[in-house]
């Protein structure tokens, strides 16, 4: 069921982006920039929405509902583990042995006072 909802979510998201990009903006008419029509209103004339705006509204609503549902399903799937739960099975301490190659070798100091240390 989770995978089916995820596929539907992806399809709705792509369709929503497509519908938003296809729509023409309110101020896209050439006449509205010169004072013709209903350009006195802030966002243009608000009439009944056409097919594109209604479809965008429905897709956006479905997108948000699916987001909430998938978020709740994902939160239920994640199992929180406690790192302090199994202290008895872990080793108590680690012993570190020093290797001869790990010891730094000191270089002889130069007797020339012009060379910085």
């Amino acid at each position: 069921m989770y995978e089916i909802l995820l596929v539907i979510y992806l399809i709705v998201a792509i369709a929503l982006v497509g519908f938003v990009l296809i729509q023409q903006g309110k101020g896209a008419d050439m006449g509205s920039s010169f004072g013709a029509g209903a350009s006195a209103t802030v966002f243009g004339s608000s009439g009944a929405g056409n097919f594109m705006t209604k479809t965008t509204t429905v897709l956006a609503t479905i997108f948000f509902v699916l987001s909430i549902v998938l978020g709740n399903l994902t939160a239920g799937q994640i199992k929180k583990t406690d790192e302090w739960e199994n202290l008895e099975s872990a080793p108590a301490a680690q012993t570190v042995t020093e290797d001869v190659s790990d010891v730094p070798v000191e270089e002889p100091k130069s007797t020339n006072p012009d060379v910085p240390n």
Side-chain angles (χ1 to χ4, degrees):
M1 175 157 159
Y2 182 77
E3 290 82 13
I4 294 171
L5 287 176
L6 203 58
V7 169
I8 293 171
Y9 183 71
L10 180 65
I11 292 170
V12 168
I14 292 171
L16 183 62
V17 168
F19 270 96
V20 167
L21 290 176
I22 289 173
Q23 289 182 16
Q24 186 177 17
K26 296 273 185 185
D29 295 331
M30 193 63 178
S32 67
S33 63
F34 297 112
S39 64
T41 60
V42 175
F43 296 111
S45 62
S46 62
N50 58 6
F51 170 74
M52 297 291 280
T53 57
K54 289 180 182 178
T55 306
T56 305
T57 305
V58 169
L59 284 174
T61 305
I62 293 171
F63 180 80
F64 286 122
V65 167
L66 281 176
S67 296
I68 293 170
V69 169
L70 285 172
N72 285 335
L73 287 176
T74 303
Q77 287 181 353
I78 297 174
K79 181 182 177 187
K80 295 182 181 179
T81 58
D82 189 12
E83 58 194 36
W84 300 100
E85 187 174 306
N86 292 328
L87 290 178
E88 296 162 358
S89 64
Q94 283 184 337
T95 57
V96 178
T97 59
E98 189 173 297
D99 193 10
V100 177
S101 64
D102 291 341
V103 178
V105 178
E106 292 185 24
E107 295 182 13
K109 292 187 178 180
S110 142
T111 57
N112 189 354
D114 293 335
V115 179
N117 293 340

